[in-house]
Amino acid sequence: HVQLVESGGGSVQAGGSLRLSCAASGYTHSSYCMGWFRQAPGKEREGGAAIESGASRTSYADSVQGRLTISQDKDKNILYLQMNNLKPEDTAMYYCAVDHVHARFTGDELKDWQYSYWGHGTQVTVS
């Protein structure tokens, strides 16, 4: 049974930083592609960052490039999202997800339909 639990969200001022964590159980993080997605009120869910199996490659949406960094701790089976220079438009519920099919990017790694399992999310509010 795959379970993903996000933590680390909160309220920060513009320009601040947060680090989100996603603890996984029921499978090994490093075996598949994983991603961080976000959904703001009234908007569609969008992909923010993705990481390949073994962290060999990462991918970012243009809107977060240079400010967000995705990484993973293989030993602890935890996925991270370091968020720097946060902006009010980053306010959203953030979700981690695992693509339980692909270990390498397919070109659709920031598309939510490619991901099989999702956490319940952690709220980030930037003012």
Side-chain angles (χ1 to χ4, degrees):
H1 175 66
V2 176
Q3 187 173 17
L4 303 172
V5 180
E6 302 95 335
S7 62
S11 297
V12 297
Q13 293 187 336
S17 298
L18 284 172
R19 188 175 79 157
L20 307 184
S21 299
C22 173
S25 60
Y27 83 105
T28 302
H29 251 193
S30 59
S31 298
Y32 301 99
C33 293
M34 294 200 69
W36 282 100
F37 291 76
R38 65 186 186 182
Q39 187 167 22
K43 295 188 177 181
E44 292 187 354
R45 186 165 55 190
E46 63 175 358
I51 190 166
E52 276 189 338
S53 168
S56 52
R57 284 199 299 171
T58 56
S59 178
Y60 297 94
D62 290 343
S63 59
V64 304
Q65 181 75 46
R67 300 188 299 116
L68 272 57
T69 303
I70 188 171
S71 62
Q72 62 187 177
D73 185 321
K74 299 177 194 177
D75 293 333
K76 296 181 180 178
N77 222 21
I78 298 176
L79 183 73
Y80 297 105
L81 185 68
Q82 178 66 43
M83 309 169 68
N84 298 326
N85 191 22
L86 284 163
K87 304 176 181 180
E89 52 263 42
D90 294 319
T91 295
M93 185 71 78
Y94 283 72
Y95 302 89
C96 69
V98 58
D99 172 356
H100 213 222
V101 174
H102 304 100
R104 296 287 176 258
F105 288 160
T106 63
D108 292 321
E109 60 273 4
L110 294 179
K111 302 291 178 61
D112 60 359
W113 52 259
Q114 186 158 286
Y115 290 79
S116 319
Y117 297 98
W118 295 81
H120 292 293
T122 185
Q123 177 68 37
V124 172
T125 302
V126 185
S127 59

